[in-house]
Amino acid sequence: MCLAIPGQIVSIAEERGQRMAQVDFGGVTQPVSLHLTPQAAIGDYVLVHVGFAISRIDAEEAAHTWRTLQEMDLLANELPANVEGAQP
Amino acid sequence: MKYLDEYRDGAVVRALAQRIAQIVTRPWVLMEICGGQTHSILRYGLQELLPKEIELVHGPGCPVCVTPAGILDRAIDLALRPGFTLVTYGDMLRVPGSVMDLQSARARGADVRMVYSPLDAVRIARAHPDRTVVFLAVGFETTAPANAMAIYQAEREGLRNFALLASHVLVPPAIRALLSSPDCRVQGFIAPGHVCTITGCADYEQLVRDFHVPVVVGGFEPVDLVQAILTLVTLLEAGHAGLANEYTRSVTARGNPEAQRVVAEVFAVADQTWRGMGEICGSGLRIRERYAQYDASRFFDVALTEPPAPAVCISAQILQGLRKPTDCAAFGTACRPESPIGAPMVSTEGACSAYYRYRRAAAQTAVEAAR
């Protein structure tokens, strides 16, 4: 029920007074209200819950998490090459 | 998918679990609050990856499961009235009321519809001005802003045929109730990352101060969860009751101010009954007077009452982390996901349902081995 899925904003338009976005979830695009995340912009990743973006994913914080894991030597030789934010 | 796949990397999860094994010196009982986290723990077998000292118990954080039967009875009553359409999230259709569920009401001719988003519920009301459309809106702090937006949008559009049958639950008062119980075994909490995305962390800092128990805000993917457990064990081993945030890509200390504003505009904090746990002071949200015309409780003359819970069910103890689903005599026999008796079997995020789905084979093997 509290599931929220990350997706990327591809377009934004006004609809019945709501700021609505088309959000790409790994190839499937869905309409999402941006009313709760007024600062979200095209290209941002947002966490979407029941048709509303509830947060803008903080790319710097995500990268920082991976750097922390690396500093713990946890990821030595174990990270896939395509993970963004894994490189220093 | 970005921000999803990398947090499911098995090698990282195993490495984090090994680190936990290196630092743990004694048994610890940890509780994850959110049903989404419970589901991930069972789905990915995270308990089995952890050292034997770490026991994970599962909290009451499935809003579908804890919605009181009395609310379902009201939803079914409304759905069966001529001229009414009852709209709700798909998970709610099989939640038992005291007599039947919404799916059975539909079989009796009720107009019951499933929606993905509260805005879909408003759209149905807009498209059918001749019908009274009631949206059965449940949820934790994560969902409350979206549900509030349904009323906000209906008012903005001047819709007069729309109402909310609201049943919201709040996490911090439930943790407070758990910690205040003399039977409480839980020594550290994984706080629900999407609830904290909305609310921020202040209420959890207060819990840390009041109960001297460490709390770590965690996400929902396996890497997120095991990282939160590592931080929790680190705090416990150091004897430090602190708050940490291991879901920083979504959670800030302040939370989402716009979502908080919408919730405060439409709802006020109220006492709330939880299925399986009873009434908890200040653990729910009621619709404010200003929006009374959108409150479906105006269709009822009598106060909401909660029918007694089935005697066989031990969900009250399961929701408090005192017993496991497999300890229940009805688990997997009389009580199954397609015919649930107790709250945690109702939704896929309930602890009993997650055990049934992912652990039934292991549980049966253990029972047979014990014979």
Side-chain angles (χ1 to χ4, degrees):
Chain A
M1 184 75 208
C2 282
L3 199 67
I5 304 291
Q8 188 173 28
I9 298 175
V10 291
S11 66
I12 299 173
E14 199 81 1
E15 194 181 308
R16 293 183 191 274
Q18 289 250 1
R19 199 160 161 256
M20 296 295 292
Q22 288 295 323
V23 174
D24 176 38
F25 300 95
V28 180
T29 304
Q30 292 281 336
V32 169
S33 168
L34 298 182
H35 190 95
L36 305 176
T37 52
Q39 75 286 17
I42 291 173
D44 283 350
Y45 278 81
V46 284
L47 271 177
V48 177
H49 173 66
V50 297
F52 285 81
I54 58 168
S55 71
R56 203 159 57 104
I57 293 177
D58 190 324
E60 278 183 27
E61 283 293 343
H64 174 76
T65 300
W66 285 102
R67 278 199 302 274
T68 308
L69 289 172
Q70 266 189 326
E71 282 160 14
M72 292 164 68
D73 292 333
L74 286 169
L75 304 188
N77 308 317
E78 288 181 346
L79 255 192
N82 62 352
V83 172
E84 286 193 36
Q87 303 307 315
Chain B
M1 280 165 68
K2 190 175 173 186
Y3 295 121
L4 212 55
D5 297 339
E6 62 266 44
Y7 295 96
R8 294 178 178 172
D9 188 303
V12 180
V13 172
R14 281 190 294 277
L16 285 164
Q18 277 170 17
R19 178 59 65 95
I20 296 169
Q22 285 163 8
I23 64 164
V24 73
T25 63
R26 68 192 106 158
W28 297 111
V29 179
L30 315 180
M31 175 180 273
E32 84 283 355
I33 291 296
C34 177
Q37 293 170 329
T38 303
H39 188 90
S40 278
I41 286 166
L42 271 295
R43 177 180 173 187
Y44 295 102
L46 301 184
Q47 174 75 72
E48 286 70 24
L49 288 175
L50 295 171
K52 63 178 185 330
E53 289 89 347
I54 306 298
E55 181 187 355
L56 298 177
V57 296
H58 318 300
C62 165
V64 176
C65 299
V66 300
T67 298
I71 286 285
L72 265 301
D73 288 347
R74 284 197 158 182
I76 291 159
D77 177 327
L78 291 173
L80 288 167
R81 294 187 191 186
F84 276 71
T85 295
L86 194 288
V87 179
T88 193
Y89 298 117
D91 292 6
M92 296 305 294
L93 295 186
R94 281 188 307 97
V95 181
S98 59
V99 178
M100 65 173 115
D101 58 20
L102 280 165
Q103 199 154 277
S104 314
R106 183 150 72 176
R108 295 185 187 194
D111 184 7
V112 178
R113 304 189 195 184
M114 214 175 83
V115 287
Y116 158 68
S117 166
L119 292 182
D120 297 336
V122 177
R123 184 176 45 76
I124 290 171
R126 188 189 306 132
H128 299 280
D130 54 323
R131 298 189 66 81
T132 302
V133 175
V134 177
F135 176 37
L136 169 57
V138 306
F140 274 103
E141 292 94 324
T142 316
T143 319
N147 290 343
M149 282 300 295
I151 287 184
Y152 180 88
Q153 186 68 18
E155 190 191 47
R156 180 185 277 189
E157 295 186 27
L159 296 176
R160 295 180 163 275
N161 63 323
F162 181 77
L164 214 68
L165 180 58
S167 184
H168 291 99
V169 276
L170 304 177
V171 170
I175 297 184
R176 202 166 277 277
L178 284 171
L179 283 167
S180 301
S181 161
D183 298 327
C184 181
R185 299 171 59 224
V186 182
Q187 294 161 296
F189 286 90
I190 303 171
H194 291 148
V195 166
C196 295
T197 294
I198 301 293
T199 64
C201 301
D203 287 345
Y204 298 85
E205 280 171 10
Q206 192 61 46
L207 285 169
V208 167
R209 279 196 293 273
D210 290 352
F211 293 93
H212 307 289
V213 61
V215 176
V216 178
V217 180
F220 296 77
E221 299 305 326
V223 170
D224 293 320
L225 282 162
V226 182
Q227 196 176 11
I229 292 166
L230 172 58
T231 302
L232 203 44
V233 173
T234 305
L235 289 169
L236 285 163
E237 289 285 342
H240 179 59
L243 177 84
N245 178 6
E246 293 294 2
Y247 197 39
T248 52
R249 67 184 182 278
S250 180
V251 174
T252 59
R254 193 175 159 219
N256 181 330
E258 187 59 27
Q260 292 164 16
R261 195 192 63 73
V262 169
V263 169
E265 165 70 20
V266 175
F267 299 125
V269 171
D271 297 344
Q272 172 75 24
T273 298
W274 298 51
R275 190 189 286 233
M277 290 181 77
E279 185 171 290
I280 301 175
C281 177
S283 70
L285 297 170
R286 64 168 174 79
I287 297 170
R288 287 189 187 275
E289 285 301 317
R290 164 165 158 37
Y291 294 99
Q293 64 164 315
Y294 297 104
D295 188 345
S297 54
R298 73 185 165 87
F299 297 121
F300 297 90
D301 297 329
V302 292
L304 183 68
T305 53
E306 183 61 4
V312 64
C313 182
I314 62 165
S315 62
Q317 288 124 298
I318 291 170
L319 293 172
Q320 295 174 67
L322 300 175
R323 297 175 79 180
K324 290 282 165 64
T326 42
D327 296 335
C328 178
F331 175 79
T333 54
C335 185
R336 297 188 305 275
E338 61 272 23
S339 56
I341 293 175
M345 190 61 97
V346 166
S347 153
T348 53
E349 291 180 5
C352 295
S353 173
Y355 270 67
Y356 185 86
R357 190 161 171 185
Y358 299 115
R359 291 278 296 274
R360 194 158 36 115
Q364 279 166 350
T365 309
V367 168
E368 279 158 20
R371 277 177 188 153

